[in-house]
Amino acid sequence: MSDIKQALEQYASRGVNRIEVNVSGGGDSGMVDSIQYYNHDKNVTNDFVDHRRWDPDKKERVLIKAKSQLNMAIGELHQTPERVLEDYAYDNANGAEWCNDEGGYGKYVFTYDDKTLTWAYDLEISVRYSETRLAHEEEGVIE
């Protein structure tokens, strides 16, 4: 079983049926901006990712540990499921040149079908292009 399939299966076993991975980049580099996890329409990201929340009593942001961290090592590199998702999204979106020159952005959406017990994905990448045009031209003689 591939690393990405193992990672997705771990999320499915915990009720996740949609995962959105947002990427962006430019100037020959790119990154995964965020990963959002859903159980149908309910965003359950905080169940899987440590986050900070304002505590009015302490008057500061406090760390909230994830309820269900997936730390099971996957593949030869022994990566977490979240890292497998990041690497898959970054490595497989490169054909669209989203991280070169002016850059771009996009989103992988992985969806789980409860009836067929399979994962599918949809990838949308937008690439930025810039144009250059002559804005002013003049000739003259300086006396």
Side-chain angles (χ1 to χ4, degrees), residues 14 42-51 53 64-71:
R14 287 169 174 80
K42 182 182 178 193
N43 187 321
V44 293
T45 301
N46 289 343
D47 291 350
F48 298 97
V49 179
D50 291 345
H51 58 285
R53 182 175 296 153
I64 308 295
K65 297 296 278 180
K67 295 177 191 172
S68 178
Q69 293 218 338
L70 300 178
N71 292 321

Side-chain angles (χ1 to χ4, degrees), residues 54-107:
W54 179 257
D55 184 326
D57 296 329
K58 294 182 180 180
K59 296 188 177 15
E60 66 180 4
R61 292 172 53 91
V62 295
L63 179 66
I64 308 295
K65 297 296 278 180
K67 295 177 191 172
S68 178
Q69 293 218 338
L70 300 178
N71 292 321
M72 181 179 161
I74 294 175
E76 293 178 16
L77 299 177
H78 305 289
Q79 296 178 317
T80 64
E82 183 176 31
R83 183 55 193 244
V84 171
L85 281 173
E86 289 177 356
D87 288 350
Y88 185 87
Y90 185 86
D91 293 343
N92 291 290
N94 279 335
E97 298 293 321
W98 62 275
C99 58
N100 290 327
D101 302 321
E102 289 88 4
Y105 55 92
K107 181 189 318 188

Side-chain angles (χ1 to χ4, degrees), residues 1 35 41 53 56 69 116 118 128 133 137:
M1 182 184 297
I35 301 177
D41 290 333
R53 182 175 296 153
Q69 293 218 338
T116 63
T118 57
R128 296 181 189 98
R133 65 180 178 87
E137 183 175 18

Side-chain angles (χ1 to χ4, degrees), residues 11-12 14-22 35-45 48 107 109-110 112 119:
Y11 288 111
R14 287 169 174 80
V16 172
N17 65 353
R18 190 173 89 238
I19 301 172
E20 296 178 3
V21 182
N22 296 290
I35 301 177
Q36 301 288 313
Y37 305 95
Y38 296 88
N39 178 307
H40 300 284
D41 290 333
K42 182 182 178 193
N43 187 321
V44 293
T45 301
F48 298 97
K107 181 189 318 188
V109 178
F110 298 92
Y112 184 68
W119 283 91

